[in-house]
Amino acid sequence: MALLEVDGLRTHFATDGGEFRAVDGVSFAVDAGKTLGIVGESGCGKSVTSLSVMGLLPARIARVAGGSIRFKGTDLLTLDEDAKRDLRGNRLAMIFQEPMTSLNPAFTIGDQIMEGLIRHKKLNREQARQAAIAMLRQVRIPAPEQRVDDYPHQLSGGMRQRAMIAMALACGPELLIADEPTTALDVTVQAQILDLLRDLQRDTGAAILLISHDLGVIAEMADHVAVMYAGRVVEQASVDALFDAPQHPYTIGLLGSIPRLDQDQERLAVIEGSVPDPARPPPGCRFEPRCPFADEQCRAAQPDLRDVLPGHAVACWKAPL
Ligand SMILES: Nc1ncnc2c1ncn2[C@@H]1O[C@H](COP(=O)(O)OP(=O)(O)OP(=O)(O)O)[C@@H](O)[C@H]1O
Ligand code: SF4
Ligand SMILES: [Mg+2]
């Protein structure tokens, strides 16, 4: 059994213009000790998928409309708020894309890291403070004995990001969701943080869901990769298969099939056209308006994700290409 199994997840947002499907039938699984990378253009539903797993969707406007999210066999969607709070920050943790969404401006970063250690690990205040300082040192925050008493606004953006990573890792989570964990950090610190995540995984056997726009980071860290487009997974395979022989026209576009010396090859390539309006998706394949291979069949019906090669699933009528 996988540590995390997401099956047919649908997350809807209510807006003035009606309800739209930000996540529309997403399925994936991550084993203990493994990393699943999630890639896809801005707005394809990566963060909403993560927040759905964490049970942290904005309450009044978003709801999970279908599917299941099983953590060690238990469907998180069936748990009450108390049970979810017991899991969060303890066995499930998330590094958020926006550090300020998870750091409370009214408390010192030390207090915020200590909170989980006191609540979940039953440490006393002094033990928790020492553990928080050690965690800040691990994420390479200089002078952690002083910084532990800083408020979030006293830290630079990069330091806040590191403080949040310290908070997420403090209790040694079994599942870590890292949503663009290193985007705000310079290359050296980024490498240190990725090493730290790998150490955590080696020491604790944690599963990691890693969201990144940086294909270099995904190639280095992930065992498997899921490619999302317009609220759906369109391709999923081992990292080697995905990079060596991508099968979905969107993935091929993302990886930039033609190497260009004037482009930074580690970033996702830019594909012509734009993502469909989630409130009015095209009737057939959602990639059809941008796809060079599109035909009548693509306009008529939406392809489901299916194994086109062993362990390599693709949602495209034409796959394998
Ligand atoms: N709080 C919100 N209210 C309304 N719509 C939202 C909200 N959060 C996300 N959405 C919408 O849900 C869809 C998915 O957004 P999501 O944040 O998951 O994208 P993403 O893949 O994480 O993009 P990025 O790479 O920019 O972080 C988008 O259409 C987005 O506009
Ligand atoms: S189903 Fe058709 S439109 Fe969609 S990606 Fe495949 S070839 Fe392109
Ligand atoms: Mg996001």
Side-chain angles (χ1 to χ4, degrees):
M1 181 176 56
L3 186 90
L4 176 72
E5 283 174 297
V6 173
D7 193 24
L9 176 68
R10 289 187 291 122
T11 305
H12 295 183
F13 275 89
T15 64
D16 296 343
E19 206 171 52
F20 77 87
R21 302 172 175 195
V23 172
D24 192 16
V26 159
S27 302
F28 57 80
V30 204
D31 289 326
K34 299 289 181 193
T35 298
L36 175 69
I38 301 188
V39 296
E41 269 162 310
S42 194
C44 69
K46 304 181 298 293
S47 295
V48 172
T49 299
S50 313
L51 295 172
S52 304
V53 173
M54 291 298 289
L56 291 174
L57 290 166
R60 278 179 299 282
I61 51 170
R63 68 183 180 100
V64 173
S68 62
I69 301 172
R70 294 187 180 281
F71 176 69
K72 292 186 147 178
T74 303
D75 189 350
L76 300 180
L77 297 173
T78 64
L79 297 181
D80 63 24
E81 213 27 65
D82 279 349
K84 278 193 269 194
R85 217 173 295 125
D86 277 346
L87 283 175
R88 267 199 306 266
N90 185 22
R91 298 169 65 196
L92 299 183
M94 178 159 170
I95 299 170
F96 294 82
Q97 194 168 7
E98 300 294 333
M100 284 316 268
T101 52
S102 68
L103 291 174
N104 187 330
F107 294 96
T108 66
I109 55 166
D111 279 335
Q112 295 182 64
I113 298 169
M114 287 160 62
E115 189 196 334
L117 292 164
I118 293 168
R119 182 211 291 255
H120 301 299
K121 300 296 174 204
K122 310 291 176 229
L123 301 189
N124 66 34
R125 275 197 71 79
E126 188 45 38
Q127 291 166 327
R129 185 180 165 85
Q130 291 312 317
I133 291 170
M135 229 29 251
L136 292 176
R137 188 171 293 119
Q138 275 201 26
V139 296
R140 307 289 197 279
I141 290 190
E145 296 84 357
Q146 281 95 56
R147 289 303 197 177
V148 71
D149 295 319
D150 278 358
Y151 289 86
H153 74 266
Q154 291 172 285
L155 301 176
S156 68
M159 289 293 165
R160 275 204 290 265
Q161 181 82 354
R162 289 187 234 183
M164 183 179 59
I165 292 169
M167 199 163 107
L169 300 186
C171 291
E174 290 168 64
L175 172 69
L176 175 70
I177 303 182
D179 192 354
E180 302 283 358
T182 58
T183 317
L185 307 174
D186 67 49
V187 178
T188 320
V189 180
Q190 173 172 323
Q192 289 165 350
I193 297 291
L194 294 178
D195 281 345
L196 189 68
L197 296 185
R198 259 193 298 256
D199 287 350
L200 166 90
Q201 193 166 50
R202 197 195 48 228
D203 295 348
T204 68
I208 300 178
L209 205 59
L210 175 67
I211 297 169
S212 179
H213 277 93
D214 190 326
L215 293 175
V217 168
I218 296 286
E220 195 185 315
M221 297 286 292
D223 299 291
H224 286 85
V225 185
V227 180
M228 285 186 69
Y229 186 76
R232 297 174 71 99
V233 174
V234 296
E235 181 159 6
Q236 195 173 354
S238 70
V239 68
D240 291 341
L242 194 104
F243 279 88
D244 290 349
Q247 296 294 323
H248 194 284
Y250 175 64
T251 314
I252 294 170
L254 275 188
L255 299 183
S257 47
I258 309 156
R260 293 258 309 266
L261 289 173
D262 58 341
Q263 282 180 357
D264 179 357
Q265 286 298 305
E266 298 222 319
R267 307 298 293 183
L268 300 181
V270 176
I271 302 171
E272 292 212 5
S274 51
V275 187
D277 176 355
R280 275 174 293 278
C285 172
R286 293 189 177 177
F287 190 55
E288 178 269 316
R290 300 167 82 183
C291 182
F293 305 101
D295 66 10
E296 264 325 302
Q297 183 186 26
C298 308
R299 280 182 275 278
Q302 181 158 251
D304 283 329
L305 197 63
R306 64 191 163 91
D307 272 344
V308 299
L309 298 164
H312 195 145
V314 185
C316 170
W317 294 119
K318 306 283 180 270
L321 288 170

